Amino acid sequence: MSLRDKQIERLEQMLSPQKKGELAWKVLIMDAKARAVVSSVLRVNDLLKLGVTLHASLSSPRSPMPDVSAVYLVEPTIDNVMVLVDDLQNDKYDAFYINFTSSLPRDLLEEFAKKVSLCGKASKIKSVWDQYIDFIVTEPNLFSLDMKGMFYKFSSSKTTEEEIATWTDRIASGLVAIVNTMGSIPIIRAPQGGAAEFVASQLNVKLRDHLQTNTGATSDGARPVLILLDRNLDLSSMFAHSWIYQVMVNDVFSLKRNTIKLTVKGENGQPKEKSYDVDPKDFFWNSYAQLPFPDVVEHADTELNLYKKDAADLTNKTGITSLDDIDNNAASTSAIQQAVDALPELTARKATLDMHMDILASLISELQAKSLDKFFEIESNCQDPKSLNEFYELLQSQPTSGSNTNDKYRTFLIMVLLVDLPEDYKTKVSGWFADHGVDLAAYNYITKFKQISNMTNLSDMGSGSLSGSGTQAAQSSALSSLSSKLYGLTEGRISEGLTSIASKVKSFIPEKRELPVTKVVQALMDPQTAPQDTLQVTDNYVYFDPKTRGSKQPKRSTYNESMVFMIGGANYYEYQNLQEWAEKSKKTVVYGGTDVIPPDEFLLECGELGKSS
């Protein structure tokens, strides 16, 4: 089971507290954090199937429903406890099933018990549980603690020791929830001397305490390794352009908690926002989100044709000409009944395909308008001296008045990080950005970051191109062909011949290379296959085993499962790179971070660091 499967399973158990076989209708009461957790993995229809007829906010006015049971899911805070007691005092519901998103501290538990006792309504409380689901899952094995701005906060000289201690404790508590949900106490590894080591030490203590108070809560099978990393390991992947469908959607549009927001032209030519909800059961997204964009286009064409064939086969059996003509109330023949039974599934497939057709069409439009293929090409070959001239020539072209300035800026920062650029070139390019109104604070920070990093073996793992080999000329012509010829994909339909174009183009996209985070994970999970230089770095990582005393450095070990956590922000690019390696290596990797950050937001954090320093 994936992390998302396990979180859904825990939520379903929480929402079915009554005996099996009873159809118990209930109201679900959540605070803002719980709503973010639930909405990422369950939809309204899912809640209805679990007997939830109404879901409401804890902080909003709620009418009494004295004959209905209430399931609460809230953070363990004194304010939330006071609202719970007030609801109990006023007999707002018939029965109270209380669930906290994380562990309820001892002092707050005692205060809660005292107030419940004083109000004399303890009999209405049927259960109180720590659920350990204080994290947001957006993909099968991708999670976030929803902690914004942590790269800035851990990197800024203005941050106090007290603030660091508070955030470290909060991160460690969130990771306890992940460990509890996964069901196995891990070995903990982390690089020395940074935030990752602080969190590792704190997490080790919390897991020891958790084991003492929750005997039997975890399994005794093969243990995973939990790898804590600092964002400083690799900054270039945070700025990178990618051809992976999911990464492109997150980069070009807004992808927050499985909601994609597109900006399209309305009927009057004015920009209009359109939102799409990516259901966890979305077959197209689950199957193809990790593939390069041309492959996704090809599969979209195949899936659309398959849908048309299935719909035609079904209508031919019934003698009708369209699925729209099916009458649910018609006399039940076997053919008609078969069509009626198949209609919901076919309708859902069509809706999903229409959604992704629209997203793909919008991506094509943005790709063409912003020349995104050019940035991908330069980043893939930034070690080639020719790329310097190509990039400066690209700066001179401004296809749509500043629409891709951030894309250019990100590519420049990648070049600064990965290549020792001539000083006169950096002066010339940074001057261009300054002349075009770009704040150079992020550039100043990245420049200083590179100077003080001392280019250790660890940072060397991030050097070189972000992708594999491939001739620039071949890529340039092929990708330009893609951006122009695929523009025919409009209004939810794929144009004729698109599949053949995509299949030709994908042969020119360079093979993916393992990112620094993937190299670290390989060294710690499968040291027999890892390069020696990477092993020399990871051998020095701190080691904690919450099940034993002491932290003796072990021999290199092999693991089948890992949890990888990035302090300072995760991204979809690394997630997909890790999943590709895991599938190839027959491993399981769960990946997450303090937050999942799109490139432009990380650019802002770097800018704030540049200003503050």
Side-chain angles (χ1 to χ4, degrees):
M1 294 176 69
S2 69
L3 177 63
R4 183 168 67 186
D5 293 334
K6 291 180 178 182
Q7 191 184 56
I8 290 173
E9 182 181 58
R10 183 161 292 189
L11 286 169
E12 289 177 342
Q13 291 172 349
M14 180 197 80
L15 291 169
S16 304
Q18 292 83 7
K19 294 179 181 178
K20 286 187 177 180
E22 293 182 4
L23 181 62
W25 299 106
K26 61 190 79 75
V27 58
L28 174 61
I29 312 297
M30 300 175 285
D31 62 5
K33 182 60 179 287
R35 186 178 293 275
V37 170
V38 173
S39 65
S40 294
V41 292
L42 296 177
R43 300 296 179 263
V44 173
N45 284 340
D46 299 320
L47 294 176
L48 283 172
K49 290 176 183 177
L50 294 165
V52 176
T53 55
L54 177 68
H55 52 91
S57 171
L58 182 75
S59 59
S60 300
R62 288 171 281 116
S63 301
M65 303 176 72
D67 297 327
V68 177
S69 296
V71 177
Y72 288 79
L73 180 62
V74 296
E75 285 191 275
T77 66
I78 185 61
D79 290 341
N80 286 349
V81 164
M82 295 306 294
V83 175
L84 287 170
V85 172
D86 187 65
D87 286 356
L88 192 65
Q89 178 75 50
N90 293 314
D91 294 316
K92 190 157 280 188
Y93 306 105
D94 176 55
F96 290 68
Y97 297 86
I98 298 172
N99 302 271
F100 293 102
T101 53
S102 57
S103 180
L104 184 67
R106 181 75 185 181
D107 57 343
L108 196 53
L109 174 61
E110 292 174 353
E111 181 69 16
F112 182 40
K114 177 182 175 182
K115 291 187 179 300
V116 169
S117 177
L118 289 173
C119 77
K121 302 289 179 67
S123 62
K124 280 182 168 286
I125 297 181
K126 304 303 180 184
S127 63
V128 179
W129 289 99
D130 294 336
Q131 290 293 349
Y132 294 102
I133 51 174
D134 192 19
F135 55 92
I136 293 169
V137 183
T138 51
E139 289 293 314
N141 285 312
L142 174 67
F143 70 93
S144 161
L145 298 186
D146 202 25
M147 297 174 66
K148 309 292 185 186
M150 284 294 116
F151 181 70
Y152 170 82
K153 291 170 182 175
F154 274 107
S155 303
S156 174
S157 58
K158 297 180 180 179
T159 303
T160 65
E161 290 185 10
E162 291 78 12
E163 287 173 325
I164 289 177
T166 298
W167 294 324
T168 298
D169 184 76
R170 185 177 163 192
I171 291 169
S173 295
L175 290 171
V176 169
I178 297 291
V179 169
N180 187 280
T181 302
M182 293 300 291
S184 185
I185 299 295
I187 300 297
I188 303 169
R189 303 299 302 272
Q192 299 182 39
E197 183 179 3
F198 299 155
V199 174
S201 178
Q202 185 79 341
L203 177 60
N204 182 49
V205 172
K206 286 182 179 291
L207 287 178
R208 287 187 189 280
D209 294 342
H210 182 73
L211 282 170
Q212 290 177 358
T213 57
N214 295 271
T215 305
T218 55
S219 66
D220 294 320
R223 296 173 66 188
V225 58
L226 195 160
I227 304 166
L228 295 164
L229 298 170
D230 295 309
R231 184 65 269 169
N232 286 342
L233 168 71
D234 175 24
L235 301 189
S236 60
S237 69
M238 297 297 287
F239 299 121
H241 293 84
S242 171
W243 279 98
I244 301 297
Y245 182 38
Q246 183 184 64
V247 184
M248 286 186 73
V249 169
N250 181 59
D251 183 357
V252 176
F253 307 125
S254 170
L255 175 56
K256 296 284 188 181
R257 295 176 192 161
N258 291 333
T259 298
I260 300 172
K261 292 185 178 179
L262 315 178
T263 301
V264 297
K265 284 186 178 181
E267 294 180 0
N268 57 359
Q270 296 299 313
K272 181 181 69 172
E273 191 174 84
K274 184 187 292 187
S275 293
Y276 285 122
D277 190 39
V278 181
D279 192 288
K281 301 181 183 70
D282 184 324
F283 78 93
F284 192 89
W285 187 258
N286 292 337
S287 298
Y288 308 124
Q290 78 282 5
L291 296 181
F293 181 64
D295 284 359
V296 179
V297 171
E298 186 175 333
H299 284 294
D301 202 27
T302 301
E303 291 286 356
L304 184 61
N305 289 330
L306 183 61
Y307 161 78
K308 290 177 179 178
K309 179 181 180 300
D310 290 347
D313 288 347
L314 195 63
T315 54
N316 288 339
K317 290 179 183 178
T318 62
I320 58 179
T321 57
S322 169
L323 291 177
D324 296 333
D325 297 334
I326 293 176
D327 183 0
N328 289 341
N329 300 315
S332 181
T333 66
S334 60
I336 291 292
Q337 188 59 49
Q338 184 181 0
V340 170
D341 293 342
L343 189 58
E345 186 272 337
L346 280 172
T347 303
R349 271 173 67 190
K350 182 62 165 59
T352 298
L353 288 172
D354 283 348
M355 179 182 84
H356 286 285
M357 295 295 185
D358 198 18
I359 294 169
L360 288 167
S362 298
L363 275 177
I364 293 285
S365 178
E366 290 295 305
L367 185 149
Q368 187 180 56
K370 295 184 176 181
S371 303
L372 296 180
D373 53 305
K374 297 291 186 183
F375 303 111
F376 175 81
E377 177 189 340
I378 290 170
E379 291 164 19
S380 299
N381 297 280
C382 62
Q383 295 289 349
D384 190 331
K386 292 180 181 178
S387 65
L388 274 63
N389 291 331
E390 290 181 5
F391 180 67
Y392 193 70
E393 289 173 6
L394 182 61
L395 291 182
Q396 312 306 310
S397 63
Q398 197 72 16
T400 51
S401 186
S403 66
N404 62 357
T405 301
N406 261 13
D407 294 291
K408 293 177 178 179
Y409 197 19
R410 286 162 44 193
T411 299
F412 179 47
L413 295 181
I414 288 172
M415 295 169 70
V416 171
L417 283 164
L418 301 184
V419 183
D420 291 327
L421 298 173
E423 286 299 322
D424 60 335
Y425 183 81
K426 289 193 289 186
T427 300
K428 179 172 65 172
V429 174
S430 60
W432 183 93
F433 283 109
D435 291 343
H436 287 75
V438 175
D439 189 334
L440 292 179
Y443 165 70
N444 294 334
Y445 173 75
I446 293 299
T447 301
K448 183 175 292 186
F449 171 85
K450 185 173 181 179
Q451 289 171 348
I452 65 176
S453 68
N454 296 322
M455 299 305 290
T456 61
N457 287 337
L458 189 60
S459 60
D460 280 344
M461 286 192 284
S463 65
S465 64
L466 288 167
S467 302
S469 60
T471 65
Q472 285 183 311
Q475 286 180 29
S476 179
S477 62
L479 298 179
S480 296
S481 171
L482 178 71
S483 63
S484 58
K485 293 183 180 178
L486 298 198
Y487 197 63
L489 188 148
T490 56
E491 299 179 2
R493 297 182 62 85
I494 293 186
S495 63
E496 288 296 322
L498 186 59
T499 301
S500 61
I501 297 171
S503 63
K504 289 177 183 176
V505 169
K506 66 182 180 182
S507 65
F508 292 105
I509 293 181
E511 293 181 5
K512 300 172 201 166
R513 288 182 58 177
E514 290 167 359
L515 296 175
V517 65
T518 306
K519 292 180 180 181
V520 168
V521 172
Q522 179 187 12
L524 292 171
M525 290 188 73
D526 196 11
Q528 294 88 345
T529 65
Q532 193 61 34
D533 59 345
T534 312
L535 289 170
Q536 289 174 356
V537 174
T538 55
D539 281 349
N540 294 321
Y541 278 25
V542 296
Y543 173 94
F544 294 105
D545 183 350
K547 285 190 172 184
T548 62
R549 294 292 171 186
S551 56
K552 184 176 68 174
Q553 179 70 31
K555 293 182 179 179
R556 295 169 184 169
S557 302
T558 299
Y559 301 91
N560 289 324
E561 298 183 16
S562 73
M563 291 166 272
V564 182
F565 185 81
M566 191 66 74
I567 299 165
N571 62 67
Y572 284 102
Y573 188 30
E574 288 179 333
Y575 172 64
Q576 293 295 356
N577 198 259
L578 281 166
Q579 295 311 306
E580 184 177 36
W581 175 82
E583 184 177 356
K584 180 176 61 178
S585 306
K586 294 181 170 56
K587 306 284 186 182
T588 299
V589 178
V590 174
Y591 168 77
T594 44
D595 193 15
V596 178
I597 312 176
D600 285 350
E601 287 185 18
F602 189 73
L603 188 61
L604 291 174
E605 281 196 67
C606 291
E608 289 301 312
L609 284 168
K611 293 172 185 175
S612 66
S613 62

